[in-house]
Amino acid sequence: VLRRKATEEKVMGNLRQDQSNQYDQLDIQYTQTKRLISEAIDGLSPQRRKVYELSRVNGLKVGQIALELDLSVSTVKNTLAAALLFIREHLASRGIIYSLFACWHFFK
């Protein structure tokens, strides 16, 4: 019984260590992805950055952004689409897949 208990504790310790290592890896990946997204946002033109931030950071709708910036709705849509494409391409060029980028918006 004591040997079995010792074996179980050893296995549980190994599982906890493996789980801790996985969380550490996820944390590192998250930090790197967040840094790359910030780099990409810094690389946007001023208008694209403003539209992106109003949409994604401030949570404004396209129509609200258009009113605030005195632009047409289609211009805001096109500008936001171009900004998102630029960010996705920046991440892809560094080996980050789009699904991680999408997850970042939910967990930031």
Side-chain angles (χ1 to χ4, degrees):
V1 170
L2 292 175
R3 277 185 289 198
R4 189 180 84 210
K5 182 102 173 134
T7 302
E8 287 174 358
E9 287 176 9
K10 184 177 178 182
V11 168
M12 291 304 293
N14 289 341
L15 288 174
R16 279 189 216 99
Q17 183 63 37
D18 289 346
Q19 189 176 33
S20 176
N21 290 341
Q22 288 174 347
Y23 285 130
D24 290 345
Q25 274 297 105
L26 288 173
D27 189 46
I28 290 168
Q29 290 172 348
Y30 171 78
T31 303
Q32 289 173 341
T33 302
K34 191 172 178 180
R35 182 183 51 79
L36 289 172
I37 290 170
S38 293
E39 280 178 12
I41 292 169
D42 290 343
L44 293 171
S45 70
Q47 182 170 338
R48 285 183 182 176
R49 183 179 311 151
K50 184 70 174 170
V51 169
Y52 174 84
E53 287 175 350
L54 288 172
S55 173
R56 296 306 195 256
V57 177
N58 297 350
L60 297 181
K61 305 279 186 208
V62 172
Q64 294 169 314
I65 297 169
L67 286 174
E68 185 167 323
L69 299 179
D70 195 28
L71 299 170
S72 72
V73 171
S74 61
T75 298
V76 172
K77 285 181 182 179
N78 290 338
T79 302
L80 184 57
L84 293 172
L85 178 63
F86 178 84
I87 293 169
R88 281 193 302 267
E89 288 175 347
H90 181 80
L91 293 174
S93 71
R94 283 148 180 85
I96 304 295
I97 57 172
Y98 177 71
S99 62
L100 288 178
F101 172 60
C103 290
W104 179 76
H105 286 286
F106 293 110
F107 299 110
K108 63 181 177 173

